[in-house]
């Protein structure tokens, strides 16, 4: 037996689950939300809200439910994902409660708390029932069919605020497009994972770009065009932009070709210009974006965008304080599209920076979970889901702050909207499942004391045994080119070079994967 190398982990070393860290962070997230809730009551009513204890208990119960699901079914998951989601959800409930004080006849916080409970319940169900994220790859075409069907249904219902994105039945309403975005992302990830080599290495080359063969790229482009076409008919341009951004990101990750980013930006600019000119509803928003104070000059008063800009300006560096702002002047969308203006006015630039850092950390941990996996589907799924959150935050924040024309979407976890908060909890659940797979030690490593490298993920005894060409990095064949990766495969045999004189294993499609450059976890 060979002597252990300097990079090999010491015997008996185990990857910590970090569930205690997660529980401590959850307690802090609940405490911050409850303190903010009390602060609003003191500022607006000079008294602690009577339901502060029930609010804190409810949020703590939701946090504990999510924690127990993760502890028992995903013990190696990233300890930051759930606490960040709980904190963002708690801040959203806090802001909606604060705005309810401006509209006593239209209270939305009790309903939002119910939707949040349903979202956490679905989070727990996904974590408990989905034992392996790769199961979703089998249902790629079922997912895309269901997603397209969900997007088509609202066409047959009346428009709300100029967009046909709602289904209203017996006083109950929801946005099916929110659920469709997860299903479409699953399809994109599965299809691109299965065809990534053909996308990267076949087709015609024009100038400095290599375009894949039409028979390979055609199906996924067709699905994207149909989905965007339906969304344009429904005037749901925010979600169409979201789908486009996620599609371009996944195409870049699957092929590793930066040219797709340039092509995507050019197509997005051309499409936005065409829709902005041809669609009256969008044209009005573009005109409002270009001249946000035109309505004041014309004597019609400040528009919503102008009121939002005034709110950010009033907030300054430290804000006016929770409950002390005047963002109710924005009007009917203050609890949904423009809730970020309330946050910016009352917590200032400092609070906005902290909020965006929370979103950035949530997205970054999703990317990290994907990069730590060897299987292409898991990597693309994690990157796609994290990109959903990233693009959505950028589009909403950019619109409310006047950076880009305003589009109708909900700020993840923060804004009023049951469909949105439930969908975001499902996204976090899938990221938790992927991160657990990425961080989990190999089943057979318990006897050797070796820690699994990124992607060393099989869900307990039900998982299939490892194939030689499916080994995660950290258990690769050490003779594959001086990468510095150490460790052995699950059976503990010495693998200083490829067995039987073979070179390092190719990826599943027979093409060496030159993008899997993550080292082993120590």
């Amino acid at each position: 037996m060979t002597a252990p190398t300097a990079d090999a982990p010491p015997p008996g070393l185990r990857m910590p689950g970090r569930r205690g860290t997660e529980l401590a962070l959850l307690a802090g997230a609940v405490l911050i939300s409850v303190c903010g809730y009390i602060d609003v009551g003191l500022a607006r009513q000079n008294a602690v809200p009577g339901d502060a204890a029930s609010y804190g208990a409810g949020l703590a119960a939701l946090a504990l439910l999510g924690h127990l699901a993760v502890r028992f079914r995903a013990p190696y998951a990233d300890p930051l994902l759930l606490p960040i989601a709980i904190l963002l959800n708690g801040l959203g409930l806090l802001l909606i409660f604060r705005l309810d004080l401006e509209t006593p006849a239209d209270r939305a916080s009790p309903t939002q708390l119910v939707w949040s409970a349903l979202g956490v319940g679905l989070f727990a169900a996904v974590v408990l029932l989905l034992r392996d994220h790769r199961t979703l790859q089998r249902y790629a075409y079922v997912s895309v069919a269901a997603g397209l069907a969900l997007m088509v249904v609202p066409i047959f219902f009346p428009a709300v605020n100029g967009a046909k994105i709602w289904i209203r039945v017996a006083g109950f309403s929801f946005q099916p497009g929110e659920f469709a975005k997860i299903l479409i992302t699953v399809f994109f990830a599965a299809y691109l994972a299965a065809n990534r080599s053909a996308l990267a290495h076949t087709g015609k080359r024009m100038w400095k770009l290599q375009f894949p063969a039409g028979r390979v790229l055609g199906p996924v482009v067709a699905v994207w065009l149909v989905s965007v076409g339906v969304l344009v008919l429904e005037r749901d341009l925010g979600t169409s932009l979201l789908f486009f951004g996620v599609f371009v990101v996944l195409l870049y990750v699957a092929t590793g070709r930066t040219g797709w980013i340039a092509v995507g930006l050019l197509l997005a600019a051309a499409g936005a210009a065409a829709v902005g000119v041809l669609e009256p509803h969008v044209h009005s928003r573009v005109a409002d974006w270009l001249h946000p104070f035109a309505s004041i000059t014309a004597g019609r008063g400040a528009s919503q965008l102008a009121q939002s800009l005034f709110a950010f300006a009033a907030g300054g560096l430290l804000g006016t304080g929770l409950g002390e702002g005047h963002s109710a002047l924005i009007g009917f969308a203050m609890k949904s599209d423009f809730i970020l203006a309330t946050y910016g006015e009352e917590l200032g630039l400092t609070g906005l920076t902290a909020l965006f850092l929370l979103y950035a950390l949530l997205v970054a941990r999703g990317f990290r979970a994907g990069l730590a996996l060897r299987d292409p589907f898991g990597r693309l799924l994690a990157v796609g889901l994290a990109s959903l959150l990233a693009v959505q935050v950028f589009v909403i924040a950019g619109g409310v702050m006047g950076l880009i024309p305003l589009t109708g979407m909900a700020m993840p976890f923060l804004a009023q909207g049951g469909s949105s908060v439930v969908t975001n909890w499902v996204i976090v659940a899938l990221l938790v499942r992927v991160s657990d797979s990425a961080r989990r030690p190999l089943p057979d490593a318990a006897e050797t004391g070796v820690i699994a490298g990124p992607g060393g993920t099989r869900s307990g005894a039900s998982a299939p045994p490892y194939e030689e060409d499916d080994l995660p990095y950290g258990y690769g064949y050490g003779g594959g080119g001086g990468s510095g990766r150490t460790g052995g495969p699950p059976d503990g045999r010495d693998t200083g070079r490829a067995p039987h004189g073979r070179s390092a294993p190719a990826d599943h499609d027979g093409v060496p994967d030159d993008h899997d450059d993550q080292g082993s976890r120590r």
Side-chain angles (χ1 to χ4, degrees):
M1 175 179 269
T2 60
T5 64
D7 291 333
L13 187 61
R14 297 291 185 271
M15 175 61 65
R18 311 302 289 271
R19 301 280 63 84
T21 301
E22 179 183 84
L23 185 60
L25 292 174
L26 284 172
V30 173
L31 182 61
I32 291 172
S33 301
V34 173
C35 288
Y37 198 84
I38 294 174
D39 191 18
V40 169
L42 292 174
R44 300 291 299 180
Q45 302 170 333
N46 295 319
V48 176
D51 58 349
S54 59
Y55 166 76
L59 189 60
L62 295 181
L64 184 60
L65 174 62
H67 172 73
L68 292 176
V70 175
R71 177 175 286 272
F72 288 110
R73 285 299 192 191
Y76 294 96
D78 193 314
L80 294 180
L81 292 172
L82 180 59
I84 292 175
I86 285 289
L87 180 55
L88 290 172
N89 203 161
L91 291 175
L93 292 170
L94 161 65
L95 290 174
I96 293 173
F97 164 71
R98 180 262 175 277
L99 292 171
D100 280 348
L101 300 178
E102 304 289 344
T103 57
D106 182 23
R107 292 177 53 82
S109 54
T111 304
Q112 189 72 3
L113 182 59
V114 172
W115 281 112
S116 299
L118 178 59
V120 176
L122 284 178
F123 167 90
V126 171
V127 172
L128 293 173
L129 299 179
L130 183 64
R131 302 295 300 274
D132 192 335
H133 64 274
R134 292 171 297 176
T135 303
L136 298 175
Q137 191 172 9
R138 306 173 190 170
Y139 304 100
Y141 290 97
V142 175
S143 298
V144 70
L148 292 176
L150 286 173
M151 287 192 295
V152 169
V153 170
I155 293 178
F156 304 102
F157 287 81
V160 178
N161 297 327
K164 292 188 174 184
I165 58 178
W166 295 87
I167 292 180
R168 295 183 181 272
V169 178
F172 177 80
S173 62
F174 69 98
Q175 288 180 263
E178 289 288 334
F179 303 95
K181 66 186 182 184
I182 297 181
L183 298 173
I184 298 296
T185 302
V186 169
F187 167 75
F188 283 161
Y191 185 87
L192 293 174
N195 297 276
R196 69 192 188 285
S197 292
L199 289 168
H201 302 291
T202 63
K204 297 181 179 180
R205 188 174 186 86
M206 296 178 60
W207 194 45
K208 294 184 179 181
L209 296 178
Q210 181 170 341
F211 293 92
R215 59 182 176 80
V216 179
L217 192 60
V220 70
V221 170
V223 169
W224 170 73
L225 287 175
V226 169
S227 61
V228 171
V230 171
L231 292 169
V232 169
L233 288 176
E234 296 173 348
R235 295 181 178 180
D236 188 8
L237 300 177
T239 306
S240 64
L241 180 61
L242 179 67
F243 278 7
F244 182 81
V246 172
F247 173 67
V248 172
V249 169
L250 289 181
L251 195 57
Y252 164 69
V253 173
T255 62
R257 298 187 178 278
T258 55
W260 287 113
I261 301 296
V263 172
L265 292 175
L266 290 175
L267 290 178
V275 174
V277 172
L278 300 176
E279 173 59 46
H281 180 68
V282 179
H283 180 73
S284 64
R285 289 193 169 185
V286 172
D288 192 30
W289 168 60
L290 293 174
H291 307 285
F293 306 115
S295 58
I296 300 177
T297 305
R300 298 191 302 269
S303 64
Q304 285 185 317
L305 180 57
Q307 291 285 11
S308 175
L309 297 177
F310 291 151
F312 286 119
L317 181 62
L318 298 177
T320 60
L322 281 171
E324 300 291 343
H326 301 86
S327 55
L329 297 172
I330 291 174
F332 71 93
M334 62 182 179
K335 299 179 185 179
S336 52
D337 293 15
F338 287 92
I339 196 169
L340 189 65
T342 297
Y343 189 98
E345 181 181 11
E346 301 189 356
L347 293 177
L349 179 61
T350 303
L352 279 173
T353 302
L355 179 68
F356 291 144
L357 285 176
L358 284 176
Y359 282 120
L361 189 56
L362 182 62
V363 172
R365 303 303 282 197
F367 285 159
R368 179 176 180 177
L371 292 174
L373 283 172
R374 177 176 173 93
D375 73 284
F377 172 72
R379 181 187 309 149
L380 290 171
L381 178 64
V383 171
L385 293 173
S387 298
L388 279 176
L389 296 173
V391 175
Q392 194 164 340
V393 170
F394 170 76
V395 169
I396 289 296
V400 173
M401 293 179 174
L403 180 64
I404 59 176
L406 185 68
T407 56
M409 284 197 299
M411 197 73 172
F413 292 109
L414 211 64
Q416 176 187 358
S419 306
S420 175
V421 73
V422 169
T423 302
N424 291 322
W425 272 113
V426 174
I427 290 175
V428 174
L430 293 175
L431 290 177
V432 164
R433 171 54 60 205
V434 171
S435 70
D436 176 69
S437 297
R439 295 161 56 90
R440 180 182 293 272
L442 289 173
D444 295 339
E447 298 298 327
T448 63
V450 177
I451 297 179
T457 66
R458 291 298 185 269
S459 305
S462 62
Y466 277 89
E467 301 291 340
E468 286 186 347
D469 62 345
D470 194 33
L471 290 175
Y473 282 133
Y475 292 90
Y477 303 92
S483 62
R485 300 181 180 102
T486 60
D491 59 5
R493 68 179 183 272
D494 180 23
T495 56
R497 57 191 176 90
H500 309 298
R502 292 181 296 173
S503 59
D507 210 343
H508 298 289
D509 51 15
V511 178
D513 190 350
D514 56 356
H515 306 299
D516 297 324
D517 55 357
Q518 294 78 34
S520 61
R521 181 180 290 111
R522 298 179 177 84

